[in-house]
Amino acid sequence: MAKNITTQEKDYSQWYLDVIREAKLAEHSPVRGSMVIRPNGMALWENMRNALDQMFKDTGHENAYFPLFIPKSFLSKEAQHVEGFAKECAVVTHSRLKSVDGGVEVDPESKLEEELIVRPTSETIIWDTYRNWIQSYRDLPILVNQWANVVRWEMRTRLFLRTMEFLWQEGHTAHATKEEAIDETRQMLDVYATFAEEWMAMPVLKGMKTASERFAGAVDTYCIEALMQDGKALQAGTSHFLGQNFAKAFDVKFQDKDGEHKLVWATSWGVSTRLIGGLIMTHSDDQGLVLPPKLAPTQVVIVPIYRSDEQREAVLEYADGIFDELKELGVRIKVDDRDNYNPGYKFAEHEAAGIPLRIAVGPRDLENNNVELARRDLKTKNIESREGLGSRVKKLLDDIQDELFEKAKTRRDEMTSEVDSYDEFKNVIKEKAGFVWAHWDGTPETEEKIKDETKATIRLIPLGEGEEGKCMVTGKPSKQKVLFAVSY
RNA sequence: CGGGGAGUGGCGCAGUCCGGUAGCGCAUUCGCUUUGGGAGCGAAGGGUCGCAAGUUCAAAUCUUGUCUCCCCGACCA
């Protein structure tokens, strides 16, 4: 079984790569750190995108599109922002090639007057644009999102988790008041958390980043953090309160009701194809991908089983009847009527692809008016009556969605510890991994020391009040426990 | 970008030490038999051995460079 997939126990990293290959989600391209997203992977991303997009629209946002290329001078306008991204930018310096003995080389004559940066994120070009869109308080708020690709010149890449080019959405909003901008930041964090939990069935914790983990140019960075099966944390989404940093840098002011000219308040927020990596490492197993029904491109696959042509015809007719019934109920379903693979092969293939439910129908089922129903997540098989199948399948898909979440949440909770001493902390991080709550004195020095000594970083500071205590390292006062983990 | 490992038909690998006609399994194509957990038999197709230089009568094999992937570090969504 699953003969092409390394077990999680043997090598989790290799397992992750094998699952992606066997589920045909993506593959490496000839360009270092860049991937080809295959149709299965793109269909999954499209479902995620559609769900998120609707959530953005429901909260009053509109989509727009800004350029891929950003003039170099824009990047230097916000000091923190430059510092954060300078080291990982792709730069366009020339505009054409010329032929040289059978090959091509960069034409030195085509050197650009001002070099262009391939966007690592779009704050700069968007704020340069917003300056022209905003004059009055009546122009605010601006609630815009864009779906785009961005490029960050990464040293070390992993499919979906960290690639040089990736797909994402970036929301960029402009507000008249600080309070409104903070509300927006928090609202979008909630949207991300809801999406992660209700659609991806991936439990997340919400919180705020420390200064060292903050987005370059933000006043505060909020995040959702998920815990993967191997005990490492994954930052799954971020929402930034940008204060007036970009408004200052790009001189974006509005005339308020009181006639005063004021700087605009800003937010930005994003999630990326990295979420697919999180999805894989939350639910999948040694047989391959496991997908939550709400995001699965195909929710149910019907595998017909037959010997003779007469049987084939009868079975396919039976299968088509089921297909029609479920299709009518809004289930994403397909019939795998390929004749060149036997059922066992198809079973294995659909399991690797993570299709939540499989219905097998053969002559025996026709005779008894049954189907065989198999759950991908539990690997169970049951004979079920054909009568009322549609509504039971619908219910089952809902159950799977809920159970995947509960299972992931239980695992997350089991892998979450709370410690009071640094020795205990070091031991837990080393032996058990997972999330660890502990007191921290709030200084970057202590944070850095912990990171150097244990590889664990502060994933988030919880929102709201916590119980006071003493830092596990320095013994200095701590306002609340913060969440540590080794992360991706 | 540093350390380690790897690159040979679509996939997984042997061959490399010790240079001498490029092989195996799976997959693919055709035919027949099969089909309730990755089918069987027969036939066929497919590879400038990552790429580029060099050494040699001769290079998958030796040398140098370079690209890509995996693991570990530094950096990051």
Side-chain angles (χ1 to χ4, degrees):
Chain A
M1 288 289 188
K3 56 187 175 185
N4 300 318
I5 299 176
T6 306
T7 60
Q8 292 187 344
E9 194 185 2
K10 189 178 171 207
D11 184 343
Y12 196 79
S13 296
Q14 189 59 48
W15 166 83
Y16 175 77
L17 292 165
D18 291 346
V19 169
I20 290 171
R21 186 190 65 243
E22 292 300 308
K24 298 186 175 71
L25 295 178
E27 60 192 35
H28 290 286
S29 79
V31 183
R32 183 174 70 83
S34 302
M35 64 177 168
V36 174
I37 301 176
R38 304 183 65 176
N40 284 354
M42 200 60 193
L44 178 57
W45 177 241
E46 282 171 340
N47 285 347
M48 296 168 81
R49 197 177 62 187
N50 290 342
L52 278 164
D53 200 62
Q54 190 57 53
M55 293 171 91
F56 298 157
K57 303 265 170 67
D58 289 345
T59 44
H61 301 85
E62 303 175 290
N63 285 327
Y65 187 79
F66 294 85
L68 172 68
F69 298 123
I70 299 175
K72 193 176 73 175
S73 57
F74 283 24
L75 259 300
S76 59
K77 291 195 178 179
E78 210 290 323
Q80 294 300 121
H81 193 66
V82 200
E83 204 177 309
F85 286 103
K87 285 169 288 183
E88 48 185 13
C89 287
V91 184
V92 179
T93 56
H94 292 75
S95 66
R96 63 173 179 262
L97 302 170
K98 63 177 184 182
S99 300
V100 178
D101 10 278
V104 284
E105 67 175 30
V106 174
D107 184 348
E109 311 234 321
S110 70
K111 193 164 168 28
L112 301 182
E113 259 184 52
E114 177 170 8
E115 288 153 347
L116 298 172
I117 311 301
V118 180
R119 63 180 165 220
T121 180
S122 303
E123 272 77 5
T124 57
I125 194 142
I126 286 179
W127 280 87
D128 182 76
T129 306
Y130 282 1
R131 182 178 55 244
N132 297 320
W133 289 4
I134 299 167
Q135 279 98 39
S136 147
Y137 71 92
R138 294 182 200 278
D139 297 325
L140 296 171
I142 292 178
L143 303 173
V144 162
N145 175 66
Q146 87 163 339
W147 290 95
N149 58 339
V150 285
V151 169
R152 296 181 187 175
W153 211 264
E154 298 290 347
M155 290 299 136
R156 192 174 163 190
T157 58
R158 300 193 70 190
L159 289 178
F160 291 116
L161 296 175
R162 176 163 297 109
T163 47
M164 292 217 306
E165 177 187 2
F166 56 93
L167 305 183
W168 79 343
Q169 59 69 217
E170 45 181 327
H172 294 273
T173 68
H175 306 266
T177 67
K178 179 180 180 180
E179 293 66 35
E180 194 184 306
I182 291 175
D183 286 349
E184 166 76 5
T185 311
R186 300 280 287 259
Q187 172 185 243
M188 297 322 286
L189 184 73
D190 289 342
V191 165
Y192 287 156
T194 302
F195 174 75
E197 300 202 332
E198 293 186 3
W199 288 81
M200 297 176 67
M202 181 175 79
V204 293
L205 294 173
K206 291 186 279 191
M208 194 179 282
K209 286 295 187 190
T210 62
S212 69
E213 300 270 335
R214 193 180 290 152
F215 175 76
V219 173
D220 285 316
T221 288
Y222 295 82
C223 63
I224 53 170
E225 291 279 330
L227 193 65
M228 304 294 100
Q229 292 161 336
D230 63 346
K232 289 166 87 172
L234 185 77
Q235 178 171 306
T238 49
S239 184
H240 315 290
F241 169 59
L242 301 174
Q244 295 173 310
N245 291 344
F246 286 91
K248 273 180 208 155
F250 288 89
D251 192 31
V252 186
K253 291 178 180 160
F254 68 101
Q255 191 169 21
D256 209 346
K257 290 176 195 167
D258 57 14
E260 297 284 316
H261 289 269
K262 298 175 182 172
L263 286 167
V264 173
W265 297 85
T267 83
S268 69
W269 27 274
V271 295
S272 70
T273 37
R274 167 178 255 204
L275 286 176
I276 294 175
L279 192 63
I280 295 166
M281 290 193 290
T282 297
H283 305 300
S284 301
D285 61 25
D286 288 344
Q287 270 67 247
L289 191 63
V290 173
L291 290 175
K294 285 172 85 167
L295 290 176
T298 301
Q299 296 171 310
V300 180
V301 63
I302 303 176
V303 177
I305 297 160
Y306 47 81
R307 287 168 199 271
S308 64
D309 280 349
E310 298 91 283
Q311 281 184 345
R312 179 167 195 267
E313 204 168 309
V315 166
L316 282 177
E317 192 185 330
Y318 190 71
D320 287 342
I322 296 169
F323 175 89
D324 290 342
E325 180 180 340
L326 284 162
K327 185 90 181 167
E328 189 66 27
L329 290 167
V331 174
R332 294 190 290 273
I333 186 168
K334 68 178 186 188
V335 178
D336 187 352
D337 59 0
R338 291 175 298 175
D339 197 33
N340 52 337
Y341 294 104
N342 66 16
Y345 181 92
K346 293 178 181 178
F347 293 172
E349 188 181 68
H350 297 137
E351 278 162 12
I355 298 175
L357 277 181
R358 179 184 74 230
I359 295 173
V361 291
R364 282 209 300 270
D365 301 304
L366 263 67
E367 211 166 288
N368 302 316
N369 206 32
N370 285 335
V371 301
E372 180 194 84
L373 195 55
R375 275 178 69 155
R376 172 64 186 90
D377 59 331
L378 302 179
K379 286 166 278 190
T380 53
K381 288 196 288 199
N382 287 308
I383 303 297
E384 301 249 346
S385 168
R386 171 69 183 81
E387 296 310 318
L389 183 63
S391 57
R392 268 177 293 136
V393 163
K394 286 280 280 184
K395 166 94 170 47
L396 200 46
L397 290 171
D398 290 344
D399 291 348
I400 292 170
Q401 183 79 30
D402 294 344
E403 288 171 37
L404 282 176
F405 177 76
E406 286 307 323
K407 190 173 163 192
K409 189 161 185 289
T410 301
R411 195 192 65 240
R412 197 269 313 272
D413 291 345
E414 281 168 2
M415 292 181 83
T416 300
S417 312
E418 194 163 348
V419 304
D420 291 307
S421 77
Y422 193 35
D423 280 345
E424 205 185 335
F425 179 85
K426 283 192 271 201
N427 190 51
V428 171
I429 288 291
K430 190 165 168 233
E431 301 298 330
K432 187 182 174 187
F435 281 147
V436 186
W437 291 102
H439 278 296
W440 163 62
D441 64 15
T443 67
E445 292 75 24
T446 304
E447 184 184 16
E448 182 69 20
K449 177 182 157 77
I450 295 168
K451 186 181 176 185
D452 286 347
E453 293 177 358
T454 67
K455 292 172 72 178
T457 51
I458 298 174
R459 301 320 302 155
L460 59 81
I461 300 165
L463 307 174
E465 300 291 301
E467 199 175 320
E468 293 184 18
K470 286 181 178 166
C471 174
M472 64 171 171
V473 178
T474 62
K476 290 181 194 162
S478 156
K479 288 194 194 107
Q480 77 245 288
K481 281 185 170 162
V482 298
L483 187 69
F484 288 88
V486 176
S487 75
Y488 273 100

